[in-house]
Amino acid sequence: MAEDQNNKPSLDVDTAFFKSKRGILKVSEMVTLFVAFVCFSAASRPKYIAATALEFLITSLLVLLFMFKLNKRLTFFFWPLVDLFNSVFAAVYFIILSLIALTTYTVRGTLVGGAFGLVTVGLLCVDIYMLFRNITFNKPRSEIQSSDKE
């Protein structure tokens, strides 16, 4: 019975991810998205609430993926590229959403949520830059994944 427990794969928690630049950036993205979500919820703007909640969920899932090192087990996707595409689409979507929220606000919560949306766009742009700098298509995956820990 002790042999069965040793053969089970365990989930290793990568606590160093939260101390890395990308980890701090992802957590700060989640914080600004959550603040924008709360502001839009207080202002009762369902379209904005749905967009921020969805991006918060996607970012949370990516953080969990990197935190539990599942990106090394699920190798059928090139996870840095998936993260890059998510950041690019989220940045474009949130700059439009935040500008609309800032220009058409009727409640102060919409204004504050739009401002935090723009802060999120800035963080997403930094994330895009860092990911794009680390992704090269002529290196093996092992070299790219080891450079992600910078």
Side-chain angles (χ1 to χ4, degrees), residues 17-61:
F17 175 72
F18 289 112
K19 297 175 185 175
S20 69
K21 291 177 187 176
R22 288 197 53 232
I24 293 170
L25 188 64
K26 286 291 183 190
V27 170
S28 59
E29 285 174 20
M30 288 175 51
V31 168
T32 56
L33 283 167
F34 183 73
V35 171
F37 170 76
V38 169
C39 291
F40 289 140
S41 296
S44 297
R45 300 289 183 206
K47 295 175 187 175
Y48 303 141
I49 294 169
T52 53
L54 183 64
E55 186 55 35
F56 180 80
L57 178 69
I58 292 169
T59 305
S60 300
L61 291 175

Side-chain angles (χ1 to χ4, degrees), residues 113-138:
F116 272 98
L118 288 177
V119 171
T120 303
V121 169
L123 292 171
L124 286 168
C125 288
V126 171
D127 194 21
I128 291 166
Y129 172 74
M130 288 177 63
L131 284 167
F132 191 73
R133 192 179 55 148
N134 286 337
I135 293 177
T136 57
F137 295 104
N138 56 357

Side-chain angles (χ1 to χ4, degrees), residues 38-128:
V38 169
C39 291
F40 289 140
S41 296
S44 297
R45 300 289 183 206
K47 295 175 187 175
Y48 303 141
I49 294 169
T52 53
L54 183 64
E55 186 55 35
F56 180 80
L57 178 69
I58 292 169
T59 305
S60 300
L61 291 175
L62 285 170
V63 165
L64 288 174
L65 178 92
F66 294 127
M67 184 179 71
F68 289 121
K69 297 181 183 179
L70 294 174
N71 57 332
K72 294 180 181 176
R73 291 187 185 184
L74 304 171
T75 58
F76 51 87
F77 284 124
F78 185 57
W79 290 106
L81 193 61
V82 170
D83 194 11
L84 178 73
F85 283 144
N86 173 53
S87 297
V88 167
F89 290 127
V92 170
Y93 188 74
F94 268 96
I95 197 158
I96 294 168
L97 181 96
S98 297
L99 290 176
I100 291 172
L102 288 173
T103 57
T104 62
Y105 80 95
T106 55
V107 181
R108 190 171 289 179
T110 307
L111 180 68
V112 176
F116 272 98
L118 288 177
V119 171
T120 303
V121 169
L123 292 171
L124 286 168
C125 288
V126 171
D127 194 21
I128 291 166

